[in-house]
Amino acid sequence: MRCELCDDTGWKPVETNGVRTVTRCDCRRDVLGQQRLADANIPKRYQHCTIDNFTVYNESLEKAAAKARAIADAFPVVSKGLFLEGQPGVGKTHLAVAVLRQVIQNTGARGLFYDTRDLLRIIRSTYDPSIRTTELEILRPVMSADLLVLDDLGAEKTSEWVEETMNLIVNTRYNEKRLTMFTSNYPDIPDDTEPNSLIFRIGHRMRSRLHEMCEFEALDGADYRELPVNGGVEELVTLWKMRKKGTLPSPGRSGRQARAQLREPVRDDRADLKWPGGRAGS
Ligand SMILES: Nc1ncnc2c1ncn2[C@@H]1O[C@H](COP(=O)(O)OP(=O)(O)OP(=O)(O)O)[C@@H](O)[C@H]1O
Ligand SMILES: [Mg+2]
Ligand SMILES: [Zn+2]
């Protein structure tokens, strides 16, 4: 179908102060947005995520969704990114991807998604100390993306190399004032001797950078992956309360068991995460 605004030239006429000129047409911005979306490395599982289809059923989720919306609406005039923390399945990746998708679609910005462990694995596998070019090929877009989502921060095994690489990425983006969003299972509690605290996982330097770069939002809620297919807000609230009390139901004979088998296996390294006031893991 021909574009009514520009007749497919990509430029539409505009009049400012009586002067007629042309400007980039909306249709091209849409095309660019679609292209950039395809290049953003968003996993299939999360390609449906929007802020509107994120169910909110308590204050912490409302607050996080509101922050996410504010960033998505105001981009690129945003000074701080978001750090979403919380237990498995509360919707951290969903919200982060929702912002990323909206920003790319609306502005055509270069956005990029990476699971932190995947990113480090890729960098490590391409690392060649004699040339370093392949490493840079991966790193350059990560450092220069207009909006970067680093998913599951802290899940990687730490080492000097990991710390150095993560510091390089975060520091470069920090210096260039580029927007970054993070998700993590590790609570931002001040105890650096607690192996399951964020500070223990990523170190003091990185944590202090992150606090300057991001607003921290703790999401408290149910594991959405436990929700029955036709479940709604009521079931979510029930699951959330059970999680808080540490009384998650044992799988019944219903569809729950079958669904549990269909779900991805729970990652071992999260099984004993400690959350203030909450039960461990899911
Ligand atoms: N509040 C919500 N509303 C709608 N869908 C949700 C909500 N929370 C989670 N989901 C869906 O549930 C699934 C799991 O959510 P998600 O992956 O975002 O959780 P997470 O907090 O990132 O968990 P993890 O710590 O395991 O990475 C996704 O398919 C997501 O779209
Ligand atoms: Mg996640
Ligand atoms: Zn057009």
Side-chain angles (χ1 to χ4, degrees):
M1 205 171 72
R2 273 197 171 278
C3 175
E4 283 174 12
L5 296 173
C6 72
D7 201 23
D8 283 356
T9 60
W11 298 93
K12 65 174 180 183
V14 284
E15 202 174 304
T16 18
N17 302 328
V19 183
R20 287 159 68 100
T21 100
V22 292
T23 185
R24 260 289 175 233
C25 184
D26 309 1
C27 69
R28 288 302 153 100
R29 212 179 44 211
D30 292 347
V31 169
L32 180 68
Q34 288 309 316
Q35 186 54 51
R36 292 260 153 100
L37 210 49
D39 293 340
N41 195 35
I42 296 170
K44 262 219 175 71
R45 186 180 290 279
Y46 293 98
Q47 282 172 6
H48 70 286
C49 296
T50 64
I51 300 172
D52 284 337
N53 67 23
F54 182 77
T55 313
V56 290
Y57 50 90
N58 66 38
E59 214 174 297
S60 81
L61 298 178
E62 264 163 37
K63 212 166 145 242
K67 285 263 166 72
R69 194 183 296 280
I71 290 178
D73 287 347
F75 189 91
V77 193
V78 186
S79 55
K80 278 192 162 189
L82 256 188
F83 190 106
L84 302 173
E85 49 174 297
Q87 285 185 286
V90 290
K92 304 177 296 294
T93 306
H94 181 121
L95 258 193
V97 167
V99 174
L100 184 65
R101 291 183 66 241
Q102 189 184 319
V103 162
I104 297 173
Q105 265 166 335
N106 288 1
T107 68
R110 275 170 310 137
L112 199 53
F113 176 97
Y114 264 111
D115 175 271
T116 309
R117 270 188 299 192
D118 284 347
L119 175 64
L120 289 165
R121 203 176 300 130
I122 295 168
I123 296 174
R124 195 182 284 118
S125 69
T126 56
Y127 182 69
D128 180 340
S130 62
I131 36 177
R132 301 195 68 141
T133 49
T134 33
E135 186 196 6
L136 266 179
E137 245 165 63
I138 303 290
L139 270 176
R140 199 176 289 121
V142 170
M143 296 196 291
S144 66
D146 301 315
L147 176 58
L148 174 71
V149 172
L150 280 182
D151 199 33
D152 254 333
L153 186 71
E156 65 284 352
K157 266 212 174 64
T158 37
S159 70
E160 211 172 300
W161 179 84
V162 164
E163 218 164 277
E164 199 183 300
T165 308
M166 289 306 293
N167 275 324
L168 173 67
I169 294 170
V170 169
N171 245 323
T172 308
R173 297 189 59 83
Y174 171 81
N175 289 335
E176 301 295 328
K177 291 194 165 177
R178 294 198 175 110
L179 211 64
T180 313
M181 307 207 326
F182 302 86
T183 79
S184 181
N185 283 141
Y186 294 90
D188 186 31
I189 48 175
D191 186 357
D192 65 359
T193 59
E194 165 59 55
N196 285 318
S197 67
L198 182 68
I199 197 163
F200 186 94
R201 304 291 305 185
I202 65 169
H204 284 263
R205 252 186 81 208
M206 173 90 108
R207 178 178 173 272
S208 129
R209 283 272 180 284
L210 295 186
H211 271 274
E212 267 191 80
M213 293 166 80
C214 292
E215 296 200 48
F216 278 56
E217 285 300 328
L219 281 70
D220 182 19
D223 183 345
Y224 202 92
R225 298 177 182 118
E226 301 267 349
L227 186 68
V229 181
N230 295 318
V233 171
E234 221 168 282
E235 282 88 351
L236 280 169
V237 171
T238 307
L239 283 170
W240 168 47
K241 287 187 174 157
M242 285 175 162
R243 183 181 234 180
K244 270 171 112 70
K245 280 198 218 134
T247 55
L248 278 175
S250 53
R253 269 169 290 123
S254 62
R256 181 177 291 279
Q257 216 155 23
R259 280 192 305 279
Q261 281 162 2
L262 288 174
R263 280 202 308 270
E264 293 168 305
V266 176
R267 294 184 193 155
D268 293 339
D269 54 355
R270 299 172 176 184
D272 59 349
L273 291 189
K274 289 192 195 74
W275 278 84
R279 203 190 81 117
S282 68

